[in-house]
Amino acid sequence: MNKAAYKNGVEACRAGFERLKAGKPEHPAHIGLPSSKITPGTVSVEAGFDRGYLKKSRQIHIHLIDEINSYRKRLKSDSSTNLTRFTQVLKKSEQKDFEIQYLHDLTQKIIAQNLQLVERVRTLELELKSYRNVQKIQSEP
């Protein structure tokens, strides 16, 4: 093959790579292909060549192969960042759920104590009524 054919092949592969990144492949097997699955082999097939067309041993292909691999690394990095962010949000949510449960339990405990105190006051008021030597104190308005 002459250099012009190699150049056209690389240009076809670059166009295929751009279609795959945009999610608009022409090859039926690549429809719905996740971006993380884009490899030099899939780019070659999308461009109309066999899977092994793009090779690191071909000087003219190295730059495109590096771009494809760099794109995959970026996606993996973004994915891992999103996973880390999701994990942090999930952990924070679990902490808030624990805090809500703790506060709910504490509220129930305080309500129970208040009911016990109200009952104790009622009991003491009834006991006071039974004493004849106790006079009511009028509170001033």
Side-chain angles (χ1 to χ4, degrees):
M1 265 190 177
N2 60 21
K3 279 200 176 217
Y6 274 122
K7 186 133 176 95
N8 290 337
V10 171
E11 289 172 5
C13 287
R14 184 170 301 284
F17 180 45
E18 294 303 321
R19 287 192 304 273
L20 288 169
K21 287 194 312 187
K24 299 178 181 176
E26 292 176 356
H27 193 281
H30 297 152
I31 294 173
L33 182 74
S35 296
S36 62
K37 300 287 184 186
I38 297 174
T39 64
T42 56
V43 170
S44 296
V45 172
E46 177 63 26
F49 301 104
D50 65 9
R51 192 163 293 282
Y53 175 75
L54 288 174
K55 296 186 191 259
K56 281 195 171 200
S57 61
R58 296 179 182 156
Q59 189 65 32
I60 197 164
H61 295 174
I62 291 175
H63 184 65
L64 180 56
I65 290 171
D66 287 344
E67 281 183 49
I68 295 167
N69 291 334
S70 173
Y71 177 75
R72 288 186 71 193
K73 280 185 184 175
R74 245 190 346 267
L75 284 177
K76 192 177 263 188
S77 169
D78 290 348
S79 173
S80 117
T81 300
N82 288 340
L83 182 61
T84 303
R85 206 172 299 143
F86 175 75
T87 304
Q88 289 171 343
V89 168
L90 184 61
K91 187 174 182 180
K92 197 173 207 176
S93 173
E94 288 171 350
Q95 288 173 339
K96 292 296 180 187
D97 286 345
F98 178 78
E99 186 176 343
I100 288 169
Q101 185 60 46
Y102 170 77
L103 292 173
H104 179 266
D105 292 347
L106 185 61
T107 303
Q108 294 298 317
K109 183 178 176 183
I110 290 170
I111 289 172
Q113 287 175 341
N114 283 344
L115 288 173
Q116 288 173 343
L117 290 172
V118 166
E119 180 60 26
R120 179 71 178 141
V121 167
R122 190 181 74 72
T123 304
L124 290 173
E125 285 177 341
L126 288 173
E127 190 179 318
L128 266 177
K129 283 183 181 178
S130 67
Y131 297 126
R132 299 196 186 275
N133 62 351
V134 176
Q135 293 183 0
K136 284 190 176 181
I137 299 176
Q138 295 292 325
S139 59
E140 293 181 32

